[in-house]
Amino acid sequence: MAEVTPPWLDVKMLELWLRKPVQQCVKKDAFNKGDNHMGDLHRILVKTKDEDISLIVKCRTEEGPTAEIQNESNMFRKEQELYKTTLPKMDQLLRNALSSEFQSLAPKCYYSCKCFLVLEDLSVMGYKMDDRQKGLDLEKCLSLIQTLARFHASSIKLHELEPKSMQEFSKHVFSETNSEKKWNNWFKAMMKLFIDELESWPEEQWSYYLKKIRKLEPNLLRRVEETIRTYDSDFNVLIHGDLWVNNILYRGDTCRLVDFQFVKFTSFAIDLHLFLTSSVKMEVRLQHTDNLIQEYHRTLCKTMTALRCERKLPTLQELYEEYHRKAM
């Protein structure tokens, strides 16, 4: 049986998306194992009369546990909606407000549907992923914090202008009924591995943590769901939801965000906690967490002011208090 050519390799479709004649397109898979967990990524090189264009195609996973979760939840649909509608509006708000200081939040999306996304290839502009095992230094952490604050602030303004714009992002994938059982099983399995590993460590100092973790194990998913739930009393924004080093691309002192399948309208603190516990060098976390939260507050307030947000600017103390409430 002849192999079916995917639509994202069809010259006529590419011409429609790029709005220019296409002479040739070639697929080149060039991603390392472990770099992406929630989709299949392909790089395609498109030749036109005037230029060569490199694109990234992100496809839904078709087989295995990840595919089951994607099929039973709205993960890919949320990302499709974000790239197609929400991010362009947020970018435009920032472009109008910040003028020469404007930096796009994410790669441009040329086409989106329920099965795949066609995205700008940021690597041709020098953007690249950092080593996830080394952790980010202070300079790169500050760059991310500033980008994140602008991402959050622009979502606040969009929500003010279009209150229904965040409806698609009201639920987190962990609490969607179709996939909740699978997530619960996943959490329990990972916790068991974690406990088994800690039990093999000879030092007595770990016994304190073992007791806490064993107690937490049966209710971990419920506790996480309670933490990420949207409360009117919180400082709610559109969060990335999976903010770790593999979902951040750097070029010099600038960065852009990718992979938005866990987006949710909820407390800003979720993004900060996940980033600071998963992606930074230990010395940065121990010595500069306060500095990073202060920079987040400074950039957030500056951007909200530039956007002329109606919401009252949060004080640094208010952000600290909410950050600590969301430590789970």
Side-chain angles (χ1 to χ4, degrees), residues 34 150 207:
R150 289 191 286 268
S207 61

Side-chain angles (χ1 to χ4, degrees), residues 146-250:
Q146 291 161 0
T147 298
L148 181 66
R150 289 191 286 268
F151 180 90
H152 287 173
S154 60
S155 75
I156 292 170
K157 184 62 178 178
L158 179 59
H159 187 233
E160 291 176 352
L161 294 172
E162 302 178 28
K164 293 184 179 180
S165 61
M166 298 297 151
Q167 281 185 350
E168 180 69 37
F169 315 117
S170 61
K171 278 192 173 183
H172 194 279
V173 65
F174 291 163
S175 55
E176 289 178 346
T177 54
N178 290 340
S179 58
E180 187 172 9
K181 184 176 180 180
K182 285 186 172 65
W183 282 115
N184 195 43
N185 292 339
W186 184 87
F187 269 78
K188 287 182 177 179
M190 297 303 287
M191 285 294 281
K192 183 179 184 305
L193 286 171
F194 185 31
I195 290 170
D196 289 347
E197 176 63 25
L198 279 180
E199 286 176 337
S200 72
W201 295 2
E203 297 88 346
E204 287 187 11
Q205 69 206 57
W206 303 113
S207 61
Y208 169 77
Y209 298 100
L210 262 172
K211 291 176 184 176
K212 296 189 72 172
I213 293 165
R214 285 197 188 102
K215 186 177 180 181
L216 177 63
E217 181 187 12
N219 301 307
L220 179 59
L221 181 57
R222 179 182 60 80
R223 295 284 300 276
V224 171
E225 288 175 338
E226 289 174 355
T227 304
I228 61 180
R229 190 175 299 152
T230 304
Y231 299 95
D232 290 340
S233 57
D234 289 342
F235 190 78
N236 294 315
V237 301
L238 184 65
I239 65 165
H240 181 282
D242 194 18
L243 194 62
W244 72 298
V245 64
N246 274 29
N247 291 336
I248 309 163
L249 300 180
Y250 283 95

Side-chain angles (χ1 to χ4, degrees), residues 62-202:
E62 297 297 333
E63 298 178 346
T66 299
E68 290 180 15
I69 289 176
Q70 284 184 337
N71 291 334
E72 295 173 3
S73 71
N74 294 320
M75 291 172 65
F76 205 85
R77 193 183 77 189
K78 286 179 182 178
E79 187 169 36
Q80 176 195 353
E81 176 66 19
L82 191 89
Y83 271 117
K84 178 183 177 182
T85 304
T86 311
L87 271 174
K89 290 181 179 180
M90 289 164 59
D91 259 356
Q92 189 59 52
L93 288 170
L94 290 171
R95 184 181 287 108
N96 293 342
L98 301 181
S99 189
S100 60
E101 295 182 25
F102 168 74
Q103 293 176 5
S104 187
L105 297 167
K108 178 181 178 180
C109 182
Y110 290 96
Y111 180 76
S112 67
C113 66
K114 64 180 182 180
C115 297
F116 63 89
L117 306 167
V118 181
L119 305 170
E120 174 184 27
D121 183 0
L122 295 177
S123 70
V124 299
M125 292 184 282
Y127 285 89
K128 60 183 181 180
M129 186 187 301
D130 261 64
D131 187 336
R132 64 182 180 274
Q133 296 182 343
K134 291 183 178 179
L136 299 171
D137 61 25
L138 180 59
E139 182 180 357
K140 288 184 175 177
C141 289
L142 286 168
S143 173
L144 180 279
I145 287 295
Q146 291 161 0
T147 298
L148 181 66
R150 289 191 286 268
F151 180 90
H152 287 173
S154 60
S155 75
I156 292 170
K157 184 62 178 178
L158 179 59
H159 187 233
E160 291 176 352
L161 294 172
E162 302 178 28
K164 293 184 179 180
S165 61
M166 298 297 151
Q167 281 185 350
E168 180 69 37
F169 315 117
S170 61
K171 278 192 173 183
H172 194 279
V173 65
F174 291 163
S175 55
E176 289 178 346
T177 54
N178 290 340
S179 58
E180 187 172 9
K181 184 176 180 180
K182 285 186 172 65
W183 282 115
N184 195 43
N185 292 339
W186 184 87
F187 269 78
K188 287 182 177 179
M190 297 303 287
M191 285 294 281
K192 183 179 184 305
L193 286 171
F194 185 31
I195 290 170
D196 289 347
E197 176 63 25
L198 279 180
E199 286 176 337
S200 72
W201 295 2

Side-chain angles (χ1 to χ4, degrees), residues 17 33 35 103 119 142 176 259 271 302:
W17 300 334
K33 184 178 180 181
D35 283 348
Q103 293 176 5
L119 305 170
L142 286 168
E176 289 178 346
D259 286 357
D271 273 345
K302 178 182 177 182

